Amino acid sequence: MVRLESVQNAVDMATAAAKAICGEAEPYRSPPWFWSNQYDLRLQTVGLSAGHDEAILRGSPADRSFSVIYLKHGRVIALDCVNAVREFVQGRKLVEKRVSPDRRLLADSTIPMNDLSGSAITT
Ligand SMILES: Cc1cc2nc3c(=O)[nH]c(=O)nc-3n(C[C@H](O)[C@H](O)[C@H](O)COP(=O)(O)OP(=O)(O)OC[C@H]3O[C@@H](n4cnc5c(N)ncnc54)[C@H](O)[C@@H]3O)c2cc1C
């Protein structure tokens, strides 16, 4: 059990509850995501980083545009993105597909994350 407080979760949970009431119950699999603007910083997260055993920095904090990618047992479970909208959009697919990409490629911001989503783990 986990308590999530975000607009995305409130909206998606309401949709799931309404569908269940109408007889269309289906598993809730939506990965949590969150965004907020704090002054000149756009903060976006996807997935839950709790329990990660590895964190990879992509981009440059000095440039005020970077992401931290969290892995557990080699699989991408979450991202924190700061002024990195493209990374958030593309990285979300890595979380959904639970991919296990090469760490060096993950850390290389010149390689689009879309190019890393092919190594999905299906189990
Ligand atoms: C300061 C703050 C900043 C936040 N920033 C972000 C953010 O940047 N991004 C993000 O994703 N999430 C953010 N959140 C979290 C997000 O706002 C909540 O998770 C989300 O609004 C929850 O939606 P909800 O519909 O469940 O509840 P609410 O939005 O709280 O809606 C509940 C509604 O029910 C009404 N109500 C309560 N009791 C009764 C009653 N007895 N009768 C009739 N009406 C009643 C309330 O007036 C309210 O309008 C923030 C929350 C706070 C407090």
Side-chain angles (χ1 to χ4, degrees), residues 39 50 55 62 89-90 107 109 113:
Y39 299 96
V89 172
Q90 297 187 3
S109 59
M113 282 196 179

Side-chain angles (χ1 to χ4, degrees), residues 4-20 24 26-34 46 88 92 96:
L4 293 172
E5 295 196 20
S6 73
V7 171
Q8 170 268 329
N9 187 61
V11 171
D12 287 355
M13 276 289 184
T15 302
K19 280 187 175 176
E24 294 177 38
E26 53 190 60
Y28 184 76
R29 293 204 178 94
S30 189
W33 57 268
F34 175 90
V46 59
F88 168 73
R92 185 175 170 167
E96 287 172 347

Side-chain angles (χ1 to χ4, degrees), residues 8-81:
Q8 170 268 329
N9 187 61
V11 171
D12 287 355
M13 276 289 184
T15 302
K19 280 187 175 176
I21 291 168
C22 295
E24 294 177 38
E26 53 190 60
Y28 184 76
R29 293 204 178 94
S30 189
W33 57 268
F34 175 90
W35 69 269
S36 186
N37 288 332
Q38 302 292 325
Y39 299 96
D40 61 335
L41 299 178
R42 167 157 285 212
L43 312 176
Q44 294 170 296
T45 73
V46 59
L48 296 174
S49 60
H52 72 274
D53 52 27
E54 201 174 348
I56 294 174
L57 176 64
R58 183 180 164 96
S60 165
D63 293 342
R64 299 172 75 79
S65 174
F66 65 95
S67 304
V68 180
I69 303 162
Y70 300 93
L71 298 102
K72 185 174 184 180
H73 305 313
R75 302 178 185 190
V76 176
I77 60 168
L79 277 87
D80 289 341
C81 303

